[in-house]
Amino acid sequence: MIETGEQRLAAELRLRILQRSMRERMTLTEIARLVGRQSSECCLDVVGDLPAMSYSLRQQGGNWSSVALDERVLPDLQGLVGPKAQVLQQGRLPFENNTFDLVVVLDGLGEPASDYRLVAECHRVLKAKGRLVIALPL
């Protein structure tokens, strides 16, 4: 998955920070509890500033896709989960309607106007009985 030496180093650093940060470990533990084990579900994580959590969610199983909210996070995210990770495109998630069984937003909310649009986009790409999990900063 990790393509260059620089991406590999950045990914390893992000993972070490995640392992040492009590706040991030607690957040990830709670998200994993809410998400539960995934089998063949189609899952999406939407990443603010915590791409290492995206990598860790994959340990729950499932078929994951990833979207970075900011282009600056994309290289780290791709270093952790692979080159297919994408970036939010003009406020829209780059997927068809009713695609995902589960959407997890990782540390991506903070401004009410854009938050509303992001949550609406998450609902657009969720299947009718899909689940949305949002991790807010502590």
Side-chain angles (χ1 to χ4, degrees):
M1 275 191 223
I2 298 168
E3 299 203 354
T4 68
E6 187 175 309
Q7 284 179 317
R8 183 183 314 276
L9 184 60
E12 288 172 4
L13 178 60
R14 291 276 190 181
L15 289 172
R16 276 189 252 149
I17 291 169
L18 175 66
Q19 292 166 349
R20 292 184 180 186
S21 168
M22 175 76 79
R23 173 187 161 268
E24 290 182 18
R25 281 195 333 259
M26 288 173 56
T27 300
L28 185 59
T29 299
E30 184 61 17
I31 292 170
R33 185 187 69 75
L34 291 169
V35 167
R37 280 278 177 219
Q38 304 302 310
S39 55
S40 61
E41 286 191 337
C42 194
C43 308
L44 170 67
D45 60 85
V46 181
V47 181
D49 293 326
L50 301 172
M53 282 194 184
S54 179
Y55 174 84
S56 297
L57 278 177
R58 282 153 172 74
Q59 307 312 309
Q60 299 294 108
N63 180 21
W64 288 87
S65 296
S66 296
V67 171
L69 293 176
D70 188 318
E71 219 167 277
R72 293 173 290 166
V73 177
L74 187 60
D76 283 349
L77 182 59
Q78 288 176 329
L80 287 161
V81 302
K84 290 185 180 180
Q86 301 178 58
V87 69
L88 194 67
Q89 300 170 356
Q90 299 175 335
R92 289 187 52 90
L93 293 169
F95 301 101
E96 298 293 322
N97 295 352
N98 307 311
T99 301
F100 297 100
D101 300 295
L102 171 68
V103 175
V104 179
V105 179
L106 300 167
D107 208 28
L109 299 181
E111 296 182 26
S114 60
D115 292 351
Y116 176 82
R117 286 190 302 271
L118 178 60
V119 171
E121 273 297 290
C122 291
H123 282 283
R124 180 184 66 78
V125 299
L126 271 172
K127 293 178 181 175
K129 295 193 179 202
R131 296 179 296 138
L132 174 60
V133 176
I134 299 175
L136 297 174
L138 296 175

